[in-house]
Amino acid sequence: MKIPQLPLEELELRMTPERLEKLQRVSLERLRHFTVVLEDLYDPHNISAVIRTCEVFGVQDVHVIEEINPYRINRSILKGAFKWLNIYRYKERARCMKELRSAGYQIAVASTNTTNQLSDLDLTRPTAFYMGAELVGNHPETLAQADIHFILPQYGITESLNVSVAAGVLLTRLDEWMERNGGRSRRTLSPEELTALRREWYERQIFGLDARPTVVEIGEE
């Protein structure tokens, strides 16, 4: 479906005042300072739960590596969350890391073999947080090439958290860090990014997902 190139103001008139107010208000809280990378997760429930959690916490971009396991979702868990995100799919983990680094992100990988806490990271820098596959964690190449490893606090006998729970804990901690360090508004979108995002959302709301897809596939180099 080809979308008519309408002025932003005309798109706004095509929505109810209540819907427009909500999209405008929520878009002000969106950020790309932090992003989440899912590396070869295989359980659609976990993938969907992490994506939904990212949307709730206002993380606009989610990167999905499917070099081994394909990207699959469970729509009943997502609850439509993917409609308001930008999801990037990669067939190669090396391509994903290259794209993130070129965008200015430092690479932080969750690992149980480190003592680094989130408080040890320089979170003033844009950071991409890698969440590894169930059972095996992140790929050895990813661990070797990461800028820093980190571990979430845990005090039990069980070695690690479920990946979707870990994502929730991570994003809660990051939200708390932002509140202690100048507020969320210091890391939200630039005016240009905000305008572009609102156009995407308005067109998606009016013309549907087929007209304005949320998923971008990034193939091999």
Side-chain angles (χ1 to χ4, degrees), residues 120-147:
D120 297 316
L121 277 63
D122 180 4
L123 297 177
T124 63
R125 296 177 57 190
T127 306
F129 291 92
Y130 274 63
M131 313 301 291
E134 303 90 339
L135 301 179
V136 298
N138 289 107
H139 192 275
E141 290 180 4
T142 301
L143 289 165
Q145 295 172 19
D147 297 305

Side-chain angles (χ1 to χ4, degrees), residues 41-48 72 134:
L41 272 64
Y42 68 83
D43 188 335
H45 292 76
N46 283 333
I47 295 170
S48 303
R72 296 177 298 153
E134 303 90 339

Side-chain angles (χ1 to χ4, degrees), residues 20-162:
L20 176 61
E21 186 277 330
K22 184 171 187 177
L23 293 182
Q24 290 181 334
R25 171 169 45 84
V26 171
S27 64
L28 289 172
E29 303 292 340
R30 287 315 224 221
L31 55 85
R32 288 192 169 104
H33 184 81
F34 299 127
T35 191
V36 172
V37 183
L38 307 182
E39 183 172 26
D40 277 317
L41 272 64
Y42 68 83
D43 188 335
H45 292 76
N46 283 333
I47 295 170
S48 303
V50 175
I51 290 173
R52 180 175 170 181
T53 301
C54 287
E55 199 285 318
V56 168
F57 278 91
V59 176
Q60 184 57 37
D61 299 334
V62 177
H63 304 264
V64 179
I65 299 169
E66 46 184 341
E67 191 164 312
I68 298 173
N69 298 314
Y71 167 73
R72 296 177 298 153
I73 57 174
N74 184 308
R75 290 180 181 271
S76 66
I77 293 176
L78 274 176
K79 300 292 185 183
F82 65 97
K83 186 175 181 180
W84 311 110
L85 296 177
N86 297 102
I87 299 173
Y88 299 91
R89 297 171 58 181
Y90 302 84
K91 293 297 183 184
E92 294 181 335
R93 63 178 55 86
R95 178 69 184 277
C96 179
M97 189 174 289
K98 180 179 179 180
E99 293 291 330
L100 289 168
R101 281 214 164 102
S102 67
Y105 287 100
Q106 66 174 337
I107 307 299
V109 177
S111 171
T112 57
N113 298 314
T114 183
T115 58
N116 288 328
Q117 303 284 329
L118 281 176
S119 57
D120 297 316
L121 277 63
D122 180 4
L123 297 177
T124 63
R125 296 177 57 190
T127 306
F129 291 92
Y130 274 63
M131 313 301 291
E134 303 90 339
L135 301 179
V136 298
N138 289 107
H139 192 275
E141 290 180 4
T142 301
L143 289 165
Q145 295 172 19
D147 297 305
I148 192 166
H149 298 172
F150 71 94
I151 189 170
L152 294 171
Q154 51 191 61
Y155 308 100
I157 296 172
T158 307
E159 183 175 343
S160 62
L161 294 165
N162 170 276

